[in-house]
Amino acid sequence: MAKILVRYFPTVIRTASCSLRHLSIGNPNKLAVAKSTILQNSFTATTTQRLYSSGSSIGIVDYAAVKKLVNEPNKLLIDVREPKELQETGQIPSSINIPLGIVSQELAANDQVFKSKYARDKPQPDTEIVFHCKAGVRSLKAAEAAVALGFKNVKSYEGSWLDWAEHEGLPK
């Protein structure tokens, strides 16, 4: 339990004045404070963003926010599914496809190469980038990769294609 808490909630544990030693030896008072603080903060954080020990955050968007992206060309919607998946299901309007396996490489490419491949300007560090996949797992990994590359306005569509298809009446 202690290792899980430290791995996923290190900032909260530091705020609660706990260390791995406190949690490992089962100090009931420190563990209770850490659990309480984690539960309070994680409910708030998961509704709008995911917090990471690096101090970065990844925003979480829903169907309504993604639906508006069609009219916001200054924001970038990236589908990180494999091309075969897009052929089977279709894709969200205005999204570009960059499979998860190459998303870091493509976001690190020079501006001209990116534009020639995707017919969109390469995102700048402050450009809003929203990632999606089938269910939200790969999109979060892609968002983490973008944050690691220095992008600051990164979001993940938590429901991803399954949520989109449900709202739009499309096959999943």
Side-chain angles (χ1 to χ4, degrees):
M1 173 70 165
K3 288 181 181 179
I4 292 170
L5 292 173
V6 170
R7 180 172 179 192
Y8 292 103
F9 301 100
T11 305
V12 175
I13 289 170
R14 282 194 299 273
T15 303
S17 301
C18 294
S19 68
L20 180 57
R21 183 174 169 272
H22 286 116
L23 296 174
S24 295
I25 61 173
N27 184 326
N29 293 333
K30 292 288 186 179
L31 188 55
V33 169
K35 280 182 175 178
S36 172
T37 307
I38 287 167
L39 290 174
Q40 290 169 357
N41 290 342
S42 66
F43 177 75
T44 303
T46 56
T47 58
T48 57
Q49 60 184 335
R50 298 266 193 247
L51 302 175
Y52 293 88
S53 58
S54 65
S56 301
S57 65
I58 295 173
I60 303 299
V61 298
D62 61 6
Y63 170 79
V66 173
K67 185 80 171 171
K68 293 177 186 175
L69 289 177
V70 174
N71 300 320
E72 299 181 37
N74 54 329
K75 298 177 183 181
L76 186 59
L77 179 61
I78 300 177
D79 187 332
V80 297
R81 296 178 294 161
E82 294 298 319
K84 182 180 178 185
E85 292 176 89
L86 275 69
Q87 291 172 353
E88 294 170 359
T89 62
Q91 66 187 83
I92 297 175
S94 80
S95 68
I96 62 171
N97 178 232
I98 306 176
L100 177 61
I102 62 168
V103 77
S104 292
Q105 171 188 326
E106 296 300 301
L107 290 175
N110 74 45
D111 296 353
Q112 292 173 334
V113 169
F114 190 93
K115 189 164 188 160
S116 70
K117 284 185 177 180
Y118 303 106
R120 295 284 305 268
D121 289 333
K122 179 183 168 192
Q124 299 303 306
D126 60 342
T127 301
E128 184 175 324
I129 305 173
V130 177
F131 292 96
H132 81 91
C133 56
K134 180 177 181 179
V137 176
R138 288 176 284 178
S139 65
L140 194 53
K141 289 180 181 181
E144 290 170 345
V147 167
L149 287 169
F151 292 94
K152 296 171 182 59
N153 195 358
V154 178
K155 298 178 178 167
S156 175
Y157 179 13
E158 202 163 43
S160 285
W161 177 260
L162 294 178
D163 184 61
W164 178 267
E166 184 176 321
H167 280 91
E168 296 284 315
L170 299 170
K172 295 177 183 182

